[in-house]
Amino acid sequence: MFSFFFLFQYTVWNFVPKNLFEQFRRIANFYFLIIFLVQLMIDTPTSPVTSGLPLFFVITVTAIKQGYEDWLRHKADNEVNGAPVFVVRSGSLVQTRSKNIRVGDIVRVAKDETFPADLVLLSSDRPDGTCHITTASLDGETNLKTHYSVAETSVCQSVSQLEALQAVVECQQPEPDLYRYRCIFLLFVFVRPLGPENLLLRGARLKNTKEIFGVAVYTGMESKMALNYKCKSQKRSAVEKSMNTFLIIYLIILLSEAILSTILKYAWQAEIKWDEPFYNQKTEAERNSSPILKFISDFLAFLVLYNFIIPISLYVTVEMQKFLGSFFIGWDLDLYHEESDQKAQVNTSDLNEELGQVEYVFTDKTGTLTENEMQFRECSINGTKYREVNGKLLPEGMTDDSPDGSMPPLMGDELLFLKAVSLCHTVQISYDQSDCLYYASSPDEKALVEATKRIGVAFSCSNGDTMEIKTFGKLEKYKLLHVLEFDPNRRRMSVILQTPSGKVLFTKGAESAILPFATSGEIEKTRLHVDEFAMKGLRTLVVACRHFSPEEYIDVDKKLNSARTALQQREERLQEAFSYIEKDLQLLGATGVEDKLQDKVQETIEALRLAGIKVWVLTGDKHETAVSVSLSCGHFHRTMNILELLQQHSDNECAEQLRILLREDHVIQHGLVVDGASLSLALREHEKLFMEVCKNCSAVLCCRMAPLQKAKVVRLLKTSPEKPITLAIGDGANDVSMIQEAHVGIGIMGKEGRQAVRNSDYAIARFKFLAKLLLVHGHFYYIRIATLVQYFFYKNVCFITPQFLYQFFCLFSQQTLYDSVYLTLYNICFTSLPILVYSLFEQLVHPHVLQNKPGLYRDISKNSLLSFRTFLYWTVLGFCHAFVFFFGSYILMGEDTTLMGNGQVCMFGNWTFGTLVFTVMVITVTLKLALETHFWTWMNHFVTWGSISSKILILTNKMIYIDSNRFWGEQHQK
């Protein structure tokens, strides 16, 4: 059994030992285990039950909670691992489970199903042997991508043909890069090199294709999707780290009290009048025992006597508070997205309070800040700007005021530009409905093809070999000769078509990928228009073409075929061929497409900034577009000084630029823009210098960034000397590493992608929900758990200090002050429910106030409520109250210790005194919590007054029991 989405911690067989190991790593649990073992081995003043029972309760409750959460993850994994699939075996289709697929199995996948393993496409039901997939689960993109079957097997569309197939696939070793794949397909005398366009990745979904057959080449943890996920490490919050520190301090206090008591015992017993009192005569064995062993034994006895200063139920109460409190996030209607019917989701409740401590937010752009829905806005044709108005392409400055509502048909350069846009793409058409629908691997392509259709040049058909367009109603057919696929290095794609007049190449791509190779056209005007589009926040593409003579095309065709069939250095030879072909381009123009922002993104980022949280935007867009989007979404202010670290080519150049940026005036607000190449240099040699620059900036924008760089940036900031709390938010599988690396990971529920959600700690439907999640829920959770932790230490100091003081009055004889029932039930019964209810419902400030005044978030930053100062306050308060309990009861009872003064109940003096101290203490610590409570509910009243009442009721029953025993004892004597 393997798990793709959660490499969870336990299995059915090793749950108990692994869970116990994990729990006893906690200081408090390990400490009480030692105390329990000591009580079993030596004679101690308290029963082993007083430590063993609470420890068993804590371990059991925690194990149930963690087991339940892992069972939910296991259930989610089983939905994928146990999904039914069909494989070709023994001449027929056999149904099996996806986890049973092995390398070499031929798998059938139907429309809208996900691929259960990494498959090489053998055939599809389409005549051209292609299929269309969506990789939303991998990279967050919901648009269709076209993949191609092996040419020699594309005709094998029946089970019998596939069963008879004899072939060998030689693959490279598994690697995590989603976009890199190389293997050789051997079929009899055919040798076919394969690339990423032939590979169907696990987790992708088949679309617009009835069915396909593919051979499994990577399965299980060797699939690319699984390799992209590192093992999800256990995240621990700052509060839990503070708890461990406080526990160590209290452990030191405990050891000090035990050592002091042991020393004072021997010091006092050194006096002759206290040596071997009549009620404690030593045996012969005790007189002859080693003094060192006796000292150690007494020390351990005192250790057991004072051990309750360490709150054993602290962890289990914290676990219950986190688990139960996490439901409030899912129940919050303000975090519910009605359109998609999605509510907030909690995958890891251990980090609730960490939401109130975030200092840096790392966010993806596409699909996270934006809707990933493109709309065509403007274009530049031969140096003239155009915009679309009511389905018409109008030059700049012209309005749609023609009398008959029509415009003269486009001619010349304009028409060639529109034809290039409507033909240079990999868009597919679905005829499932009455009107054809476009599907594309890029949302830009889809938006552009839809725009040309509205204007009058409609892409109407593509069957693999032929592309058809209707130019103002006139049908035109083009033979598709070659597709030069897009890659991140060239940053462009091209198609070679056969037109009635000859062969032509249409290409489109980034400005830097096209303009340097253009030899004609209005290059400077186009460059200015591209920059202007980018400043408006539009995504830009430059369009060009090249006409081939018959001799040139023969040479081009030969180079392409030779590169694509190469067995060695295939990728390098393809790049050389593409570079040879995509030159001497005739510039046609450029396009500007808008990616719509999500609702209330600007307000959310502004609220985070006011809360003292720095936001970093990570995107693959070009510099101008990224800056414009940052300005439009409020990430950058118009008045902000924008610093740039761009196009650095060497370590020395990068270091010098960083030093210049570091000397900028720190009084005004700065925003930093850094591109992927410069970022790589900065992170490689100048991490500290780069971080100094970033810390002086209110906002940072990383553009042209590769997915693998995101997690590295998060790790760099996370491990800096200040160790700030980081949060990463994204919507695609390419954001998973970043989400897992950050202290808190949040997944955006996309239209189809769920990998970011599955691997996140929390999931929300829209970016705007992040504000309430942090400013309200994070604020509440942190205050509640901070008070819970401090209160637990306070009430245990109140509990055990009278026991320490009591030793001064009993010659350190290790006599216990409290009844064993009180020792056992104090933490798990008498004082546990009030603080648990407080930690679930307390609201120091109304939620609307927290949202309207984000600055309140700063008041709890840097773990301020768990600082040493506040910890010292609660500790000193506990000692002061303990002194009042003990000496107040001592003075109240006087020397008689009976309250009655008749001497008849003197035998109950110790029990009466201890019970009085315990009763006053329980009432006081309960009322102290009541004074700390600002938001009262019926549950607060019930548990507060119920705890006091239950204590009085138990005390009454105890007294009746003792009086009854005394009465029958007197009767027996008579």
Side-chain angles (χ1 to χ4, degrees), residues 482 503 548-561 580:
H482 293 283
K503 312 290 193 305
F548 295 111
S549 66
E551 294 77 13
E552 287 176 330
Y553 177 73
I554 293 174
D555 188 29
V556 164
D557 186 61
K558 184 184 300 183
K559 285 184 175 295
L560 274 177
N561 290 329
Y580 175 79

Side-chain angles (χ1 to χ4, degrees), residues 139-260:
D139 53 19
E141 296 287 348
T142 58
N143 302 284
L144 292 190
K145 296 177 174 61
T146 303
H147 284 251
Y148 302 88
S149 62
V150 180
E152 287 74 22
T153 63
S154 60
V155 295
C156 300
Q157 298 183 359
S158 67
V159 174
S160 58
Q161 289 176 307
L162 292 167
E163 179 70 17
L165 186 63
Q166 298 292 326
V168 177
V169 182
E170 295 182 0
C171 304
Q172 65 186 82
Q173 290 298 313
E175 63 170 272
D177 192 340
L178 295 175
Y179 309 105
R180 183 181 179 88
Y181 173 72
R182 182 173 54 203
C183 78
I184 301 174
F185 188 88
L186 305 175
L187 176 64
F188 298 115
V189 295
F190 295 104
V191 180
R192 174 69 63 179
L194 305 179
E197 69 278 3
N198 306 112
L199 185 68
L200 306 173
L201 296 181
R202 185 189 187 282
R205 187 182 297 271
L206 184 65
K207 288 287 188 180
N208 203 24
T209 307
K210 185 177 179 181
E211 67 175 13
I212 64 97
F213 288 94
V215 59
V217 289
Y218 301 122
T219 63
M221 299 310 298
E222 292 184 347
S223 65
K224 289 185 177 291
M225 185 178 69
L227 291 174
N228 269 270
Y229 304 150
K230 60 181 182 180
C231 183
K232 191 174 183 180
S233 59
Q234 184 74 19
K235 296 182 179 180
R236 300 191 181 275
S237 68
V239 170
E240 187 167 346
K241 294 175 184 176
S242 297
M243 285 168 48
N244 291 335
T245 302
F246 297 160
L247 284 169
I248 292 174
I249 294 174
Y250 269 69
L251 186 59
I252 294 173
I253 295 174
L254 169 65
L255 294 174
S256 301
E257 289 182 346
I259 293 173
L260 179 62

Side-chain angles (χ1 to χ4, degrees), residues 317-330:
T317 307
V318 168
E319 293 279 357
M320 292 177 66
Q321 188 269 348
K322 291 181 176 182
F323 177 70
L324 297 175
S326 64
F327 288 101
F328 291 106
I329 293 178

Side-chain angles (χ1 to χ4, degrees), residues 10 84 100 133 193 205 402 414 437 445 475 489 514 573 628 655 730 737 784 801 834 885 912 925 951 969:
Y10 310 117
N100 296 328
I133 68 171
R205 187 182 297 271
S402 55
E414 295 89 348
L437 297 176
E445 286 191 341
L475 182 64
N489 296 321
I514 301 295
R573 295 186 62 177
S628 179
S737 296
R784 292 166 181 170
T801 302
F885 303 152
T912 305
V925 298
K951 171 63 186 77

Side-chain angles (χ1 to χ4, degrees), residues 139 306 315 574 602 707 714 943 958:
D139 53 19
Y306 303 147
Y315 278 117
L574 276 175
Q602 185 171 359
V714 176
V943 298
K958 186 81 171 178

Side-chain angles (χ1 to χ4, degrees), residues 863-909:
N863 204 15
S864 60
L865 299 186
L866 284 174
S867 64
F868 185 77
R869 182 177 180 180
T870 56
F871 167 72
L872 188 62
Y873 161 76
W874 281 93
T875 301
V876 172
L877 184 66
F879 279 112
C880 291
H881 284 183
F883 273 80
V884 173
F885 303 152
F886 184 84
F887 290 106
S889 300
Y890 181 80
I891 294 171
L892 179 63
M893 297 186 68
E895 296 181 359
D896 192 359
T897 73
T898 65
L899 289 181
M900 298 179 66
N902 57 12
Q904 293 182 0
V905 292
C906 191
M907 63 178 291
F908 303 113

